[in-house]
Amino acid sequence: MTITATQPATGLAVEFYDPDGTRYGFPTFPYLTAPGGLATRRQLRAAGLRPAGHDPVAQILWRRGKRVAYLYRLDLAAPKRTATPAQREAIAKALRARRTCRHCGQVKPYYIPRRYGCCLDCHGGAE
């Protein structure tokens, strides 16, 4: 699918086509009409990239202007950071603590419900 920055055909949200930013104060495009070289956060994440601290350079508006997606430059995007072994170990400990019952000390295959504070066996399973 190629996305072009040309004037969209009638029937599309033409009111959102403002590539100069005169109407919205920010370059704005209707849904599916953003120029090449720009991507949303979700598209960056799918490509293994992140905005790297850069601000968005344009936006996409749809649903009568109630929905917005900010666009970032692909050439300024950086690779996603990966967790260090110490960070991964800390996350694993935290997730294990969420599965450990305070009463019986067993590690369950599910997260302990916070409203009970104990596993379902200790709670009795009834509210």
Side-chain angles (χ1 to χ4, degrees):
M1 169 174 55
T2 57
I3 300 173
T4 61
T6 60
Q7 178 73 22
T10 56
L12 292 175
V14 177
E15 72 251 35
F16 300 136
Y17 186 77
D18 182 22
D20 301 325
T22 55
R23 190 176 339 156
Y24 296 101
F26 204 53
T28 304
F29 302 94
Y31 187 69
L32 294 177
T33 60
L38 300 178
T40 63
R41 276 186 177 271
R42 189 171 286 188
Q43 291 169 332
L44 288 176
R45 186 175 38 224
L49 301 170
R50 61 186 171 94
H54 295 285
D55 293 329
V57 295
Q59 65 184 354
I60 296 175
L61 289 178
W62 73 100
R63 297 248 174 134
R64 297 186 185 107
K66 294 182 181 179
R67 299 290 308 216
V68 63
Y70 295 108
L71 298 170
Y72 300 87
R73 290 179 42 185
L74 285 172
D75 59 338
L76 298 178
K80 284 197 308 188
R81 293 180 285 202
T82 57
T84 65
Q87 289 172 327
R88 279 189 252 128
E89 185 179 333
I91 291 169
K93 283 182 183 179
L95 294 178
R96 184 177 173 93
R98 288 183 59 193
R99 295 188 348 251
T100 305
C101 178
R102 295 181 198 161
H103 294 207
C104 65
Q106 291 183 355
V107 178
K108 298 293 182 176
Y110 56 88
Y111 294 130
I112 305 298
R114 290 174 50 190
R115 67 180 142 188
Y116 303 144
C118 60
C119 67
L120 298 179
D121 295 333
C122 292
H123 183 267
E127 290 194 38

